[in-house]
């Protein structure tokens, strides 16, 4: 199997590493589905590198180095650097950051054109999508359920300047040809959206075959039932890859300093233009934000969304900085201990007393 078909570039392989390259196609708790030059296989993390050392725990879409074992689970020994990375704050308290997907080219932010459509949720997805380093695309699903969707497109365009927006229907085929430009060989697209938004149906429609189970939605509230139970990467016949994710009820901010600037560029253009450099944008005179809200250039609702996500991101950023500093301290301690051990071996412990 040619790993280049899965987006692997030979220059990704570090000179100082062992093993062969592989790509994570699914995560099943402590067991990982992999694809490598020998085909599809499974692997587990090597304890020394991941639980004692400081290797980044892999997620779906990651390229890794493995010690291939034909008769059992291979050993995953290294996570290679990521081009793009999508994460959120883990919904379980105290667990910090949760990896969602890695090494993708586009993020399909999906909302259905029924009761699931939610502008606030869209702003949150856009912020995290921009932070990932990939290109966000808004896909409005189930176009067959509404008489017109131009108003929804207008809402999205007002919130996501410069982001492509497509209304589609997996049932009728409406708009699917517009997505073909993204579905190119070697490209990876991650699907994000809440339960029942139609991710699995769209995967089947784009694949041209029934490769994913599709569940219905509840008639009383249009909410969906979980179909995808774990993150998995699927190779389509044309060579494009899709990372499908379970519907996420919570999408907490985690280190989105870049994403906020991209998702709320209409707001950040006014920051720094107030009369006072430490303006809190509340009661201070000469506040640029208060002025554009007053004259209608910026809606108060949009400003409040930005403030809310900014506050949430600051809390997460403070935690992420702490964790990065802690990780660096651990690396320094490990390096020191390694050097000390080498000295003891070279000179003998008695010489160092």
């Amino acid at each position: 199997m040619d790993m280049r078909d899965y987006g692997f570039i030979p220059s990704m392989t570090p000179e100082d590493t062992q093993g062969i390259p592989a790509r994570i196609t699914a995560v099943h708790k402590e067991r990982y589905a992999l694809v490598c030059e020998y085909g599809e296989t499974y692997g587990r993390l090597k304890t020394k590198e991941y639980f004692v050392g400081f290797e980044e725990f892999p997620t779906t879409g990651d390229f890794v180095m493995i010690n291939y074992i034909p008769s059992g689970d291979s050993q995953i020994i290294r996570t290679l650097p990521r081009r793009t990375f999508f994460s959120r704050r883990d919904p379980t308290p105290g667990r910090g950051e949760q990896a969602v997907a890695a090494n993708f080219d586009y993020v399909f932010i999906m909302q259905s054109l029924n009761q699931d459509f939610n502008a606030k949720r869209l702003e949150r997805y856009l912020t995290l999508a921009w932070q990932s380093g990939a290109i966000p695309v808004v896909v409005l699903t189930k176009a067959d359920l509404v008489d017109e969707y131009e108003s929804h497109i207008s809402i999205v365009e007002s919130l996501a300047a410069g982001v492509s927006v497509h209304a589609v229907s997996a049932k009728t085929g409406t708009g699917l040809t517009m997505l073909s430009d993204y579905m190119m060989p070697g490209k990876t697209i991650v699907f994000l959206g809440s339960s029942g938004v139609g991710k699995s149906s769209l995967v089947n429609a784009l694949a041209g075959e029934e490769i994913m189970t599709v569940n219905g939605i509840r008639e009383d509230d249009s909410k969906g039932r979980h179909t995808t139970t774990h993150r998995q990467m699927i190779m389509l016949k044309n060579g494009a890859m899709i990372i499908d994710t379970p519907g996420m009820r919570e999408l907490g901010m985690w280190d989105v300093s870049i994403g906020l600037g991209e998702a709320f560029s209409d707001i950040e253009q006014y920051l720094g233009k107030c009369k006072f450099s430490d303006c809190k944008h509340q009661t201070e005179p000469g506040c640029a934000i208060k002025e554009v809200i007053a004259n209608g250039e910026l809606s108060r609702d949009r400003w409040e969304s930005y403030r809310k996500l900014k506050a949430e991101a600051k809390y997460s950023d403070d935690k992420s900085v702490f964790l990065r500093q802690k990780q660096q301290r651990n690396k320094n301690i490990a390096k020191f201990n390694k050097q000390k051990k080498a000295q003891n071996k070279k000179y003998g412990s008695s010489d160092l007393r």
Side-chain angles (χ1 to χ4, degrees):
M1 187 172 292
D2 193 338
M3 287 301 296
R4 289 175 296 183
D5 294 337
Y6 283 84
F8 181 77
I9 301 172
S11 60
M12 292 179 176
T13 307
E15 296 180 358
D16 60 339
T17 192
Q18 299 177 334
I20 63 171
R23 193 171 190 188
I24 306 288
T25 58
V27 179
H28 305 278
K29 293 186 178 180
E30 297 178 357
R31 198 168 186 235
Y32 296 79
L34 303 165
V35 60
C36 67
E37 61 185 75
Y38 298 108
E40 297 179 354
T41 185
Y42 285 90
R44 294 181 185 271
L45 302 179
K46 191 176 181 183
T47 300
K48 179 182 177 182
E49 279 71 11
Y50 285 91
F51 297 97
V52 179
F54 303 97
E55 280 297 322
E56 195 78 42
F57 279 65
T59 188
T60 304
D62 263 321
F63 291 103
V64 296
M65 300 301 292
I66 65 171
N67 289 329
Y68 179 68
I69 301 175
S71 57
D73 288 349
S74 297
Q75 287 183 322
I76 302 172
I77 58 177
R78 186 167 184 173
T79 303
L80 299 183
R82 295 157 169 158
R83 293 188 296 108
T84 56
F85 178 60
F86 188 95
S87 68
R88 64 169 177 170
R89 191 173 71 246
D90 197 306
T92 303
R95 290 192 177 179
E97 184 180 25
Q98 182 187 66
V100 176
N103 297 311
F104 44 88
D105 301 279
Y106 302 101
V107 181
F108 277 15
I109 302 171
M110 301 173 62
Q111 290 203 331
S112 62
L113 289 164
N114 58 5
Q115 297 177 32
D116 176 76
F117 186 82
N118 185 305
K120 297 297 182 186
R121 188 188 303 129
L122 178 60
E123 290 175 328
R124 185 172 291 264
Y125 273 111
L126 282 165
T127 299
L128 289 167
W130 279 119
Q131 183 70 25
S132 74
I135 300 173
V137 179
V138 177
V139 179
L140 302 177
T141 62
K142 304 184 181 180
D144 56 290
L145 298 182
V146 295
D147 294 328
E148 65 87 24
Y149 43 76
E150 285 75 14
S151 59
H152 292 84
I153 292 178
S154 296
I155 292 173
V156 174
E157 289 177 341
S158 69
L159 300 175
V163 175
S164 297
V165 186
H166 304 285
V168 304
S169 169
K171 184 177 181 179
T172 66
T174 299
L176 294 185
T177 56
M178 299 297 293
L179 302 181
S180 60
D181 289 341
Y182 309 102
M183 316 302 295
M184 302 297 289
K187 297 295 183 182
T188 304
I189 303 97
V190 60
F191 280 20
L192 297 173
S194 55
S195 298
V197 75
K199 297 190 298 294
S200 298
S201 295
L202 186 57
V203 170
N204 290 339
L206 293 172
E209 57 181 322
E210 197 78 10
I211 59 177
M212 299 198 69
T213 303
V214 177
N215 287 339
I217 60 174
R218 298 191 295 264
E219 295 295 333
D220 55 344
D221 60 2
S222 295
K223 298 296 184 181
R225 303 177 180 91
H226 288 288
T227 300
T228 304
T229 58
H230 57 275
R231 293 177 287 278
Q232 57 185 318
M233 189 179 75
I234 302 159
M235 171 75 83
L236 302 186
K237 290 179 178 179
N238 72 342
M241 289 157 282
I242 293 174
I243 297 178
D244 190 26
T245 62
M248 291 180 279
R249 293 188 180 92
E250 297 182 42
L251 200 63
M253 299 289 102
W254 184 272
D255 191 14
V256 290
S257 53
I258 297 174
L260 271 173
E262 294 286 352
F264 290 88
S265 58
D266 56 328
I267 289 178
E268 294 213 340
Q269 65 177 316
Y270 299 112
L271 299 180
K273 295 183 179 181
C274 300
K275 181 178 180 180
F276 300 104
S277 60
D278 61 346
C279 184
K280 304 297 183 184
H281 317 298
Q282 295 173 350
T283 59
E284 298 88 344
C287 174
I289 296 296
K290 286 167 51 181
E291 181 180 345
V292 293
I293 290 176
N295 64 27
E297 293 181 49
L298 176 68
S299 73
R300 180 167 296 279
D301 190 53
R302 176 78 166 158
W303 168 245
E304 290 302 326
S305 291
Y306 174 81
R307 287 183 63 242
K308 180 179 179 181
L309 294 181
K310 183 77 170 178
E312 186 178 337
K314 185 179 186 304
Y315 170 70
S316 296
D317 286 345
D318 289 344
K319 290 175 66 179
S320 64
V321 169
F322 168 75
L323 291 173
R324 285 196 296 269
Q325 291 174 341
K326 180 180 178 182
Q327 185 182 51
Q328 187 58 51
R329 285 198 300 271
N330 289 340
K331 286 183 177 180
N332 292 338
I333 292 171
K335 183 178 180 181
F336 172 77
N337 289 336
K338 185 177 181 181
Q339 291 173 341
K340 187 176 180 180
K341 185 177 180 181
Q343 288 178 335
N344 288 339
K345 184 176 181 181
K346 182 176 181 180
Y347 299 110
S349 57
S350 60
D351 295 335
L352 297 175
R353 289 173 184 170

